[in-house]
């Protein structure tokens, strides 16, 4: 039996957001791992194009391509990618579903403001905290048209009514210091998803970019075990 893993990145982001987890899977399995770039998310510019429909379509096409090459497909979604992962779970037979900082509910103002303070200090002194993307997000968010931001909200609205219809075994990973997606989101998803097998993992100090949390190697191992690799 061969296994494929489709990893879907977040809004205004890219494959770099999930790169540590991708490397972990490649180092510990012989699985085929695919991380497509969603339309308009190229690294050299802000999110100037792309729609909810195009993002879902690209993820769906990549899933179908991977499905032809392996026996089972596991889907991992980070932030907005978590919503798209749930969308795929509603439409296709997926072996396992992993949701990382899934953006079903978003913006925790207190923590976000603290992150913004660190970002502004970093920009002033060109001294970015380790494993941070403040400089990238400062550029991308200030160059993201309102129209595209509304497309992100469209993804949220499209998936939200159907959480209870997701039956795929699921593992949710959430950072308690997430400034974009409040930690309570993970509890809500855990309750709302219709899956019989559900796991919830919290990173005490993890922020939104959960794949770069200090304890990532701890939860990486737990998620891998859930995914079916002992």
């Amino acid at each position: 039996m061969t296994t494929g893993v489709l990893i879907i990145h977040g809004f205004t982001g890219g494959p770099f957001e999930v790169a540590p987890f991708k490397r972990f899977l490649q180092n510990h399995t012989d699985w085929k791992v695919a991380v497509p770039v969603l339309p308009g998310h190229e690294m050299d510019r802000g999110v100037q194009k792309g729609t909810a429909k195009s993002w879902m379509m690209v993820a769906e096409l990549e899933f179908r391509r991977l499905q032809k090459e392996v026996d089972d497909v596991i889907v991992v979604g980070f932030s907005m990618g978590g919503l798209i992962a749930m969308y795929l779970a509603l439409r296709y037979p997926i072996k396992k579903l992993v949701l990382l900082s899934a953006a079903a509910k978003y913006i925790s103002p207190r923590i976000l403001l603290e992150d913004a303070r660190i970002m502004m200090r970093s920009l002033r002194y060109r001294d970015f905290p380790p494993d941070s993307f403040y400089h990238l997000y400062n550029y991308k968010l200030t160059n993201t048209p309102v129209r595209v931001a509304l497309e992100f909200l469209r993804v949220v609205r499209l998936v939200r009514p159907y959480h209870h219809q997701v039956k795929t075994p699921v593992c949710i990973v959430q950072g308690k210091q997430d400034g974009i997606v409040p930690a309570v989101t993970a509890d809500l998803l855990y309750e709302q998803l219709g899956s019989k097998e559900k796991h919830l993992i919290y990173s005490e100090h993890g922020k939104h970019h959960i794949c770069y949390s200090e304890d990532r190697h701890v939860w990486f191992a737990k998620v891998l075990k859930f995914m079916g690799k002992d």
Side-chain angles (χ1 to χ4, degrees):
M1 297 288 285
T2 56
T3 299
V5 182
L6 175 63
I7 307 180
I8 308 170
H9 67 74
F11 180 64
T12 77
F16 66 90
E17 295 174 306
V18 294
F21 188 56
K22 178 186 177 183
R23 287 195 297 270
F24 178 83
L25 293 179
Q26 291 173 328
N27 290 336
H28 291 81
T29 75
D30 58 356
W31 297 344
K32 185 177 182 62
V33 183
V35 189
V37 178
L38 301 180
H41 287 74
E42 294 78 8
M43 285 290 291
D44 59 346
R45 61 180 67 93
V47 185
Q48 299 294 332
K49 58 182 179 179
T51 62
K53 183 177 180 179
S54 71
W55 300 331
M56 290 178 164
M57 181 180 68
V58 164
E60 189 165 354
L61 289 173
E62 188 67 19
F63 173 86
R64 291 166 64 178
R65 184 194 65 77
L66 188 59
Q67 191 179 40
K68 293 176 182 178
E69 301 177 3
V70 298
D71 298 306
D72 295 307
V73 179
I74 297 169
V75 180
V76 180
F78 167 74
S79 195
M80 182 184 76
L83 306 181
I84 298 175
M86 286 190 280
Y87 165 78
L88 292 177
L90 290 167
R91 295 175 58 85
Y92 295 96
I94 291 172
K95 183 180 180 181
K96 298 286 179 69
L97 182 64
V98 179
L99 305 178
L100 310 176
S101 308
K105 183 180 177 66
Y106 47 93
I107 303 302
S108 174
R110 180 182 61 80
I111 300 175
L112 187 58
L113 286 173
E114 175 63 17
D115 280 0
R117 183 188 66 77
I118 296 172
M119 180 184 76
M120 295 309 295
R121 177 180 59 80
S122 299
L123 288 171
R124 178 177 299 175
Y125 298 106
R126 309 299 299 171
D127 176 27
F128 303 109
D131 292 330
S132 75
F133 303 108
Y134 295 123
H135 54 307
L136 278 174
Y137 277 84
N138 180 67
Y139 172 78
K140 283 179 171 289
L141 291 175
T142 54
N143 287 271
T144 299
V146 172
R147 177 195 65 79
V148 181
L150 293 176
E151 291 296 324
F152 162 72
L153 297 178
R154 182 171 295 175
V155 176
V156 177
R157 290 194 298 267
L158 283 171
V159 178
R160 181 183 293 155
Y162 305 105
H163 290 175
H164 67 286
Q165 293 184 22
V166 174
K167 306 296 183 182
T168 307
V170 61
C171 182
I172 302 167
V173 183
Q174 177 67 45
K176 288 194 174 181
Q177 301 304 315
D178 192 333
I180 304 297
V181 176
V184 68
T185 302
D187 293 313
L188 292 174
L189 275 177
Y190 185 86
E191 293 299 325
Q192 293 172 356
L193 293 177
S195 311
K196 289 185 178 180
E197 181 183 354
K198 295 187 280 189
H199 303 269
L200 176 55
I201 300 172
Y202 270 114
S203 169
E204 288 295 327
H205 303 290
K207 295 193 175 186
H208 190 57
H209 287 95
I210 194 70
C211 290
Y212 288 83
S213 63
E214 292 180 0
D215 62 350
R216 58 187 178 275
H217 296 297
V218 175
W219 67 259
F220 278 5
K222 292 180 180 178
V223 171
L224 184 59
K225 185 175 182 180
F226 162 77
M227 293 168 80
K229 189 75 173 181
D230 295 324

